[in-house]
Amino acid sequence: MPGWSCLVTGAGGFLGQRIIHMLVQEKDLEEIRVLDKVFRPETRKEFFNLKTNTKVSVLEGDILDSQYLRRACQGISVVIHTAAVIDVSGVIPRQTMLDVNLKGTKNLLEACVQASVPVFIFTSTIDVAGPNSYKDIVLDGHEEDQHESTWSDPYPYSKKMAEKAVLAANGCTLRNGGTLHTCALRPMCIYGERSPFLYNTVIRALKNKGIIDAISKFSRANPVYVDNVAWAHILAARGLRDPKKSPSIQGQFYYISDDTPHQSYDDLRYTLSKEWGLRLDSSWSLPLPLLYWLAFLLETVSFLLRPVYNYRPPFNRHLVTVLNSMFAFSYKKAQQDLGYEPCVTWEEAKQKTSEWIGTLVEQHKETMNSKTQ
């Protein structure tokens, strides 16, 4: 395969940064364009200091700016689209999420057509598959099962509709007469160093005498380590660029998991942080059906108050369902079509993530000591 170039959106994010670090090791990759709305200074510095012969171009721009996207896509061979607004608790306005996650994806697809980019890889999410009820049990799900979220909440809805747009665009004619090839990857809940989900968990616990909120004791899931998700994106890019592999991948979606043991999200957070003295809240909690209907009540109150007061419930039915369902998926199809095998074992992932959590604990101690002096 000849020299190629890649644009990665959401490049300053948790997953985007890992994809960049793997991409620079790819043979014949001549240029990476890293795109995000705003880069933190340390992230920008990290990209500039990458030890690689590949040209790294740092682009700051809005995914809603169609003209900017078209310029960013000029001369590009592969687009990896990870940029998204992730929010399952109702903090971010619905329209913002629809604009970025759905309209932004459509803008990028159109930019690829106009700039004749032949390969488009979309970072989707397990949320587009469900779960739709905490009573549903899926412990070895497959792509053929056709699971689909029925939630109208902005995150699962916007990602589901964006994924549909990406897969429907497969086979589109490009401006130069070529053909657009697309696929989508659906990672499980992603963990690892710098995970915003874990960072918030640890900071809250440290402010609460080391006690981790027990919010998902009824769940059984298979979380996936961030490097393994990044690796799946590299393999998808290779596959769609390879004339032999590409036909079986085009227009397909893939669940991306690894060999992390099936467990509750609470157990995962405890396992990764127990070495540093953090522990799960052992106090009594509401039964799951009661918690669900309490969420419904709080959503109703929020709806009724909306004309006069913007009340945001601490949790909603979607969040209760996602965090307390038995919902796990196999990576067998990605293994068959992409040649995907997790590049980091559970033991390695656990050690690396735990060590990072240890740095957060030490930083917290130093901060507290400086305040008392």
Side-chain angles (χ1 to χ4, degrees):
M1 292 181 281
W4 59 293
S5 54
C6 185
L7 170 70
V8 180
T9 71
F14 173 44
L15 174 61
Q17 290 182 57
R18 301 302 182 98
I19 291 174
I20 302 302
H21 280 274
M22 288 192 180
L23 272 173
V24 296
Q25 300 172 40
E26 287 294 283
K27 291 180 179 178
D28 302 322
L29 181 59
E30 295 173 352
E31 182 185 7
I32 300 176
R33 295 179 195 166
V34 297
L35 172 65
D36 218 320
K37 193 168 185 180
V38 179
F39 286 100
R40 293 187 299 273
E42 61 271 24
T43 306
R44 180 185 284 272
K45 184 179 179 182
E46 187 177 309
F47 287 150
F48 280 128
N49 291 335
L50 285 170
K51 294 178 180 177
T52 176
N53 294 323
T54 302
K55 179 182 177 184
V56 179
S57 305
V58 178
L59 308 177
E60 286 191 340
D62 195 331
I63 200 166
L64 297 178
D65 185 338
S66 299
Q67 294 298 323
Y68 185 87
L69 288 182
R70 194 175 299 183
R71 291 194 300 272
C73 287
Q74 288 297 328
I76 287 293
S77 316
V78 175
V79 164
I80 297 178
H81 179 36
T82 78
V85 176
I86 303 172
D87 173 41
V88 292
S89 56
V91 177
I92 297 170
R94 181 182 185 87
Q95 194 57 50
T96 300
M97 300 191 71
L98 289 174
D99 283 347
V100 174
N101 295 354
L102 180 53
K103 186 179 178 182
T105 300
K106 289 181 175 180
N107 286 348
L108 190 57
L109 284 167
E110 180 59 27
C112 286
V113 170
Q114 294 302 320
S116 299
V117 178
V119 173
F120 189 106
I121 296 156
F122 177 62
T123 307
S124 189
T125 168
I126 184 62
D127 283 71
V128 306
N132 295 317
S133 167
Y134 62 82
K135 296 176 184 177
D136 294 343
I137 298 177
V138 178
L139 291 178
D140 190 27
H142 296 276
E143 288 78 357
E144 293 75 19
D145 297 338
Q146 299 297 318
H147 294 283
E148 182 173 312
S149 171
T150 57
W151 292 99
S152 62
D153 292 63
Y155 180 65
Y157 174 77
S158 63
K159 291 294 285 187
K160 178 179 76 171
M161 298 309 293
E163 185 192 276
K164 285 180 182 291
V166 169
L167 299 184
N170 183 67
C172 281
T173 302
L174 303 174
R175 192 171 186 178
N176 67 356
T179 305
L180 177 64
H181 300 314
T182 71
C183 75
L185 306 182
R186 296 181 178 179
M188 308 298 110
C189 175
I190 307 174
Y191 71 94
E193 311 93 285
R194 302 187 190 179
S195 159
F197 166 68
L198 286 175
Y199 177 85
N200 292 332
T201 292
V202 172
I203 298 303
R204 277 200 309 271
L206 292 173
K207 292 178 179 178
N208 189 32
K209 301 177 181 176
I211 298 174
I212 302 170
D213 299 330
I215 56 172
S216 58
K217 62 176 68 175
F218 303 105
S219 65
R220 188 165 180 80
N222 54 335
V224 58
Y225 183 61
V226 61
D227 282 8
N228 291 327
V229 180
W231 179 233
H233 284 74
I234 305 301
L235 293 173
R238 287 182 187 173
L240 283 180
R241 290 184 60 246
D242 185 336
K244 293 179 181 178
K245 286 187 177 180
S246 185
S248 63
I249 303 170
Q250 296 168 20
Q252 300 294 308
F253 68 86
Y254 297 91
Y255 292 115
I256 306 300
S257 55
D258 59 18
D259 299 324
T260 300
H262 290 206
Q263 59 195 296
S264 73
Y265 296 117
D266 281 354
D267 287 342
L268 175 73
R269 295 182 302 154
Y270 172 66
T271 298
L272 296 173
S273 59
K274 63 183 179 182
E275 183 181 343
W276 308 104
L278 274 60
R279 59 197 186 280
L280 280 172
D281 187 351
S282 58
S283 59
W284 180 82
S285 59
L286 288 173
L288 186 52
L290 197 56
L291 192 64
Y292 183 87
W293 288 110
L294 176 59
F296 175 68
L297 178 63
L298 292 173
E299 288 178 57
T300 304
V301 170
S302 174
F303 175 77
L304 294 174
L305 288 176
R306 197 165 298 162
V308 292
Y309 179 70
N310 185 23
Y311 167 64
R312 183 173 63 83
F315 55 91
N316 54 40
R317 285 172 295 165
H318 175 240
L319 187 61
V320 169
T321 301
V322 167
L323 291 179
N324 291 282
S325 294
M326 295 188 178
F327 208 61
F329 286 78
S330 164
Y331 61 78
K332 188 175 181 181
K333 185 181 177 185
Q335 194 176 37
Q336 291 173 343
D337 291 2
L338 304 177
Y340 168 75
E341 295 286 350
C343 60
V344 180
T345 66
W346 159 239
E347 289 302 324
E348 291 174 299
K350 181 169 61 172
Q351 181 181 348
K352 290 180 178 181
T353 309
S354 178
E355 287 174 356
W356 169 72
I357 289 174
T359 65
L360 297 181
V361 174
E362 290 304 315
Q363 288 171 11
H364 179 76
K365 286 180 181 176
E366 289 173 8
T367 302
M368 296 306 293
N369 289 337
S370 62
K371 286 182 179 179
T372 56
Q373 288 174 358

PDB file of all heavy atoms in Angstrom, residues 339-358:
ATOM      1  N   GLY A 339      -8.836  -8.912  12.127  1.00  0.00           N
ATOM      2  CA  GLY A 339      -7.635  -9.517  12.698  1.00  0.00           C
ATOM      3  C   GLY A 339      -7.351  -8.964  14.082  1.00  0.00           C
ATOM      4  O   GLY A 339      -6.212  -8.983  14.558  1.00  0.00           O
ATOM      5  N   TYR A 340      -8.412  -8.497  14.764  1.00  0.00           N
ATOM      6  CA  TYR A 340      -8.255  -7.860  16.074  1.00  0.00           C
ATOM      7  C   TYR A 340      -7.974  -8.875  17.180  1.00  0.00           C
ATOM      8  O   TYR A 340      -8.692  -9.866  17.327  1.00  0.00           O
ATOM      9  CB  TYR A 340      -9.516  -7.067  16.417  1.00  0.00           C
ATOM     10  CG  TYR A 340      -9.587  -6.598  17.858  1.00  0.00           C
ATOM     11  CD1 TYR A 340      -8.807  -5.537  18.299  1.00  0.00           C
ATOM     12  CD2 TYR A 340     -10.413  -7.234  18.779  1.00  0.00           C
ATOM     13  CE1 TYR A 340      -8.868  -5.106  19.620  1.00  0.00           C
ATOM     14  CE2 TYR A 340     -10.483  -6.815  20.098  1.00  0.00           C
ATOM     15  CZ  TYR A 340      -9.702  -5.750  20.516  1.00  0.00           C
ATOM     16  OH  TYR A 340      -9.762  -5.334  21.824  1.00  0.00           O
ATOM     17  N   GLU A 341      -6.919  -8.626  17.907  1.00  0.00           N
ATOM     18  CA  GLU A 341      -6.626  -9.308  19.169  1.00  0.00           C
ATOM     19  C   GLU A 341      -6.202  -8.219  20.147  1.00  0.00           C
ATOM     20  O   GLU A 341      -5.433  -7.328  19.761  1.00  0.00           O
ATOM     21  CB  GLU A 341      -5.486 -10.326  19.015  1.00  0.00           C
ATOM     22  CG  GLU A 341      -5.778 -11.503  18.106  1.00  0.00           C
ATOM     23  CD  GLU A 341      -6.727 -12.526  18.723  1.00  0.00           C
ATOM     24  OE1 GLU A 341      -7.002 -12.412  19.936  1.00  0.00           O
ATOM     25  OE2 GLU A 341      -7.176 -13.414  17.984  1.00  0.00           O
ATOM     26  N   PRO A 342      -6.675  -8.246  21.389  1.00  0.00           N
ATOM     27  CA  PRO A 342      -6.256  -7.215  22.347  1.00  0.00           C
ATOM     28  C   PRO A 342      -4.732  -7.160  22.443  1.00  0.00           C
ATOM     29  O   PRO A 342      -4.078  -8.195  22.564  1.00  0.00           O
ATOM     30  CB  PRO A 342      -6.879  -7.688  23.659  1.00  0.00           C
ATOM     31  CG  PRO A 342      -8.052  -8.541  23.247  1.00  0.00           C
ATOM     32  CD  PRO A 342      -7.627  -9.206  21.982  1.00  0.00           C
ATOM     33  N   CYS A 343      -4.171  -5.963  22.345  1.00  0.00           N
ATOM     34  CA  CYS A 343      -2.709  -5.833  22.402  1.00  0.00           C
ATOM     35  C   CYS A 343      -2.216  -5.654  23.835  1.00  0.00           C
ATOM     36  O   CYS A 343      -1.018  -5.727  24.098  1.00  0.00           O
ATOM     37  CB  CYS A 343      -2.243  -4.663  21.529  1.00  0.00           C
ATOM     38  SG  CYS A 343      -2.904  -3.055  22.003  1.00  0.00           S
ATOM     39  N   VAL A 344      -3.144  -5.419  24.778  1.00  0.00           N
ATOM     40  CA  VAL A 344      -2.793  -5.271  26.194  1.00  0.00           C
ATOM     41  C   VAL A 344      -3.655  -6.237  26.999  1.00  0.00           C
ATOM     42  O   VAL A 344      -4.882  -6.263  26.850  1.00  0.00           O
ATOM     43  CB  VAL A 344      -3.019  -3.824  26.690  1.00  0.00           C
ATOM     44  CG1 VAL A 344      -2.646  -3.689  28.165  1.00  0.00           C
ATOM     45  CG2 VAL A 344      -2.218  -2.828  25.856  1.00  0.00           C
ATOM     46  N   THR A 345      -3.034  -7.043  27.841  1.00  0.00           N
ATOM     47  CA  THR A 345      -3.777  -8.008  28.652  1.00  0.00           C
ATOM     48  C   THR A 345      -4.479  -7.309  29.813  1.00  0.00           C
ATOM     49  O   THR A 345      -4.176  -6.162  30.155  1.00  0.00           O
ATOM     50  CB  THR A 345      -2.830  -9.067  29.251  1.00  0.00           C
ATOM     51  OG1 THR A 345      -1.939  -8.424  30.200  1.00  0.00           O
ATOM     52  CG2 THR A 345      -2.008  -9.749  28.165  1.00  0.00           C
ATOM     53  N   TRP A 346      -5.397  -8.030  30.438  1.00  0.00           N
ATOM     54  CA  TRP A 346      -6.105  -7.508  31.603  1.00  0.00           C
ATOM     55  C   TRP A 346      -5.122  -7.177  32.728  1.00  0.00           C
ATOM     56  O   TRP A 346      -5.217  -6.124  33.358  1.00  0.00           O
ATOM     57  CB  TRP A 346      -7.153  -8.514  32.067  1.00  0.00           C
ATOM     58  CG  TRP A 346      -7.611  -8.372  33.496  1.00  0.00           C
ATOM     59  CD1 TRP A 346      -7.517  -9.319  34.472  1.00  0.00           C
ATOM     60  CD2 TRP A 346      -8.236  -7.238  34.105  1.00  0.00           C
ATOM     61  NE1 TRP A 346      -8.057  -8.853  35.660  1.00  0.00           N
ATOM     62  CE2 TRP A 346      -8.503  -7.570  35.458  1.00  0.00           C
ATOM     63  CE3 TRP A 346      -8.598  -5.974  33.659  1.00  0.00           C
ATOM     64  CZ2 TRP A 346      -9.120  -6.693  36.363  1.00  0.00           C
ATOM     65  CZ3 TRP A 346      -9.207  -5.086  34.549  1.00  0.00           C
ATOM     66  CH2 TRP A 346      -9.460  -5.448  35.878  1.00  0.00           C
ATOM     67  N   GLU A 347      -4.166  -8.044  32.960  1.00  0.00           N
ATOM     68  CA  GLU A 347      -3.205  -7.807  34.043  1.00  0.00           C
ATOM     69  C   GLU A 347      -2.387  -6.541  33.797  1.00  0.00           C
ATOM     70  O   GLU A 347      -2.148  -5.744  34.702  1.00  0.00           O
ATOM     71  CB  GLU A 347      -2.271  -9.018  34.202  1.00  0.00           C
ATOM     72  CG  GLU A 347      -2.947 -10.249  34.790  1.00  0.00           C
ATOM     73  CD  GLU A 347      -3.567 -10.007  36.159  1.00  0.00           C
ATOM     74  OE1 GLU A 347      -2.965  -9.238  36.952  1.00  0.00           O
ATOM     75  OE2 GLU A 347      -4.640 -10.568  36.447  1.00  0.00           O
ATOM     76  N   GLU A 348      -1.943  -6.354  32.539  1.00  0.00           N
ATOM     77  CA  GLU A 348      -1.180  -5.144  32.194  1.00  0.00           C
ATOM     78  C   GLU A 348      -2.055  -3.900  32.320  1.00  0.00           C
ATOM     79  O   GLU A 348      -1.620  -2.868  32.852  1.00  0.00           O
ATOM     80  CB  GLU A 348      -0.659  -5.248  30.762  1.00  0.00           C
ATOM     81  CG  GLU A 348       0.424  -6.281  30.550  1.00  0.00           C
ATOM     82  CD  GLU A 348       0.771  -6.414  29.074  1.00  0.00           C
ATOM     83  OE1 GLU A 348      -0.109  -6.782  28.273  1.00  0.00           O
ATOM     84  OE2 GLU A 348       1.930  -6.138  28.724  1.00  0.00           O
ATOM     85  N   ALA A 349      -3.279  -3.998  31.808  1.00  0.00           N
ATOM     86  CA  ALA A 349      -4.198  -2.858  31.853  1.00  0.00           C
ATOM     87  C   ALA A 349      -4.503  -2.470  33.295  1.00  0.00           C
ATOM     88  O   ALA A 349      -4.524  -1.279  33.650  1.00  0.00           O
ATOM     89  CB  ALA A 349      -5.493  -3.208  31.116  1.00  0.00           C
ATOM     90  N   LYS A 350      -4.715  -3.494  34.135  1.00  0.00           N
ATOM     91  CA  LYS A 350      -5.014  -3.255  35.546  1.00  0.00           C
ATOM     92  C   LYS A 350      -3.844  -2.566  36.235  1.00  0.00           C
ATOM     93  O   LYS A 350      -4.023  -1.594  36.980  1.00  0.00           O
ATOM     94  CB  LYS A 350      -5.332  -4.599  36.227  1.00  0.00           C
ATOM     95  CG  LYS A 350      -5.683  -4.492  37.706  1.00  0.00           C
ATOM     96  CD  LYS A 350      -6.250  -5.805  38.230  1.00  0.00           C
ATOM     97  CE  LYS A 350      -5.268  -6.946  38.119  1.00  0.00           C
ATOM     98  NZ  LYS A 350      -5.753  -8.170  38.798  1.00  0.00           N
ATOM     99  N   GLN A 351      -2.629  -3.036  35.962  1.00  0.00           N
ATOM    100  CA  GLN A 351      -1.438  -2.458  36.592  1.00  0.00           C
ATOM    101  C   GLN A 351      -1.219  -1.007  36.164  1.00  0.00           C
ATOM    102  O   GLN A 351      -0.980  -0.132  36.990  1.00  0.00           O
ATOM    103  CB  GLN A 351      -0.201  -3.291  36.245  1.00  0.00           C
ATOM    104  CG  GLN A 351       1.075  -2.767  36.895  1.00  0.00           C
ATOM    105  CD  GLN A 351       2.293  -3.588  36.523  1.00  0.00           C
ATOM    106  OE1 GLN A 351       2.184  -4.666  35.961  1.00  0.00           O
ATOM    107  NE2 GLN A 351       3.477  -3.070  36.823  1.00  0.00           N
ATOM    108  N   LYS A 352      -1.304  -0.760  34.854  1.00  0.00           N
ATOM    109  CA  LYS A 352      -1.073   0.596  34.346  1.00  0.00           C
ATOM    110  C   LYS A 352      -2.107   1.578  34.883  1.00  0.00           C
ATOM    111  O   LYS A 352      -1.775   2.704  35.284  1.00  0.00           O
ATOM    112  CB  LYS A 352      -1.111   0.596  32.806  1.00  0.00           C
ATOM    113  CG  LYS A 352       0.071  -0.088  32.153  1.00  0.00           C
ATOM    114  CD  LYS A 352      -0.066  -0.029  30.632  1.00  0.00           C
ATOM    115  CE  LYS A 352       1.124  -0.672  29.938  1.00  0.00           C
ATOM    116  NZ  LYS A 352       1.002  -0.586  28.459  1.00  0.00           N
ATOM    117  N   THR A 353      -3.356   1.152  34.887  1.00  0.00           N
ATOM    118  CA  THR A 353      -4.421   2.043  35.355  1.00  0.00           C
ATOM    119  C   THR A 353      -4.303   2.290  36.847  1.00  0.00           C
ATOM    120  O   THR A 353      -4.475   3.419  37.324  1.00  0.00           O
ATOM    121  CB  THR A 353      -5.801   1.452  35.022  1.00  0.00           C
ATOM    122  OG1 THR A 353      -5.849   1.088  33.636  1.00  0.00           O
ATOM    123  CG2 THR A 353      -6.903   2.457  35.304  1.00  0.00           C
ATOM    124  N   SER A 354      -3.988   1.252  37.598  1.00  0.00           N
ATOM    125  CA  SER A 354      -3.829   1.394  39.047  1.00  0.00           C
ATOM    126  C   SER A 354      -2.674   2.333  39.386  1.00  0.00           C
ATOM    127  O   SER A 354      -2.778   3.171  40.296  1.00  0.00           O
ATOM    128  CB  SER A 354      -3.603   0.022  39.682  1.00  0.00           C
ATOM    129  OG  SER A 354      -3.414   0.155  41.074  1.00  0.00           O
ATOM    130  N   GLU A 355      -1.575   2.222  38.651  1.00  0.00           N
ATOM    131  CA  GLU A 355      -0.429   3.108  38.891  1.00  0.00           C
ATOM    132  C   GLU A 355      -0.802   4.572  38.641  1.00  0.00           C
ATOM    133  O   GLU A 355      -0.395   5.469  39.380  1.00  0.00           O
ATOM    134  CB  GLU A 355       0.741   2.706  37.995  1.00  0.00           C
ATOM    135  CG  GLU A 355       1.418   1.414  38.438  1.00  0.00           C
ATOM    136  CD  GLU A 355       2.487   0.938  37.464  1.00  0.00           C
ATOM    137  OE1 GLU A 355       2.652   1.590  36.396  1.00  0.00           O
ATOM    138  OE2 GLU A 355       3.147  -0.079  37.755  1.00  0.00           O
ATOM    139  N   TRP A 356      -1.601   4.801  37.592  1.00  0.00           N
ATOM    140  CA  TRP A 356      -2.057   6.169  37.309  1.00  0.00           C
ATOM    141  C   TRP A 356      -2.961   6.694  38.429  1.00  0.00           C
ATOM    142  O   TRP A 356      -2.828   7.836  38.856  1.00  0.00           O
ATOM    143  CB  TRP A 356      -2.792   6.187  35.960  1.00  0.00           C
ATOM    144  CG  TRP A 356      -3.514   7.469  35.696  1.00  0.00           C
ATOM    145  CD1 TRP A 356      -2.964   8.675  35.384  1.00  0.00           C
ATOM    146  CD2 TRP A 356      -4.925   7.667  35.732  1.00  0.00           C
ATOM    147  NE1 TRP A 356      -3.952   9.619  35.217  1.00  0.00           N
ATOM    148  CE2 TRP A 356      -5.166   9.028  35.417  1.00  0.00           C
ATOM    149  CE3 TRP A 356      -6.024   6.841  35.985  1.00  0.00           C
ATOM    150  CZ2 TRP A 356      -6.448   9.570  35.356  1.00  0.00           C
ATOM    151  CZ3 TRP A 356      -7.305   7.370  35.918  1.00  0.00           C
ATOM    152  CH2 TRP A 356      -7.503   8.711  35.615  1.00  0.00           C
ATOM    153  N   ILE A 357      -3.853   5.835  38.911  1.00  0.00           N
ATOM    154  CA  ILE A 357      -4.714   6.231  40.036  1.00  0.00           C
ATOM    155  C   ILE A 357      -3.857   6.577  41.247  1.00  0.00           C
ATOM    156  O   ILE A 357      -4.146   7.528  41.988  1.00  0.00           O
ATOM    157  CB  ILE A 357      -5.733   5.113  40.364  1.00  0.00           C
ATOM    158  CG1 ILE A 357      -6.787   5.032  39.245  1.00  0.00           C
ATOM    159  CG2 ILE A 357      -6.407   5.349  41.715  1.00  0.00           C
ATOM    160  CD1 ILE A 357      -7.757   3.881  39.371  1.00  0.00           C
ATOM    161  N   GLY A 358      -2.766   5.829  41.420  1.00  0.00           N
ATOM    162  CA  GLY A 358      -1.834   6.124  42.513  1.00  0.00           C
ATOM    163  C   GLY A 358      -1.265   7.529  42.428  1.00  0.00           C
ATOM    164  O   GLY A 358      -1.096   8.216  43.448  1.00  0.00           O
TER     165      GLY A 358
END
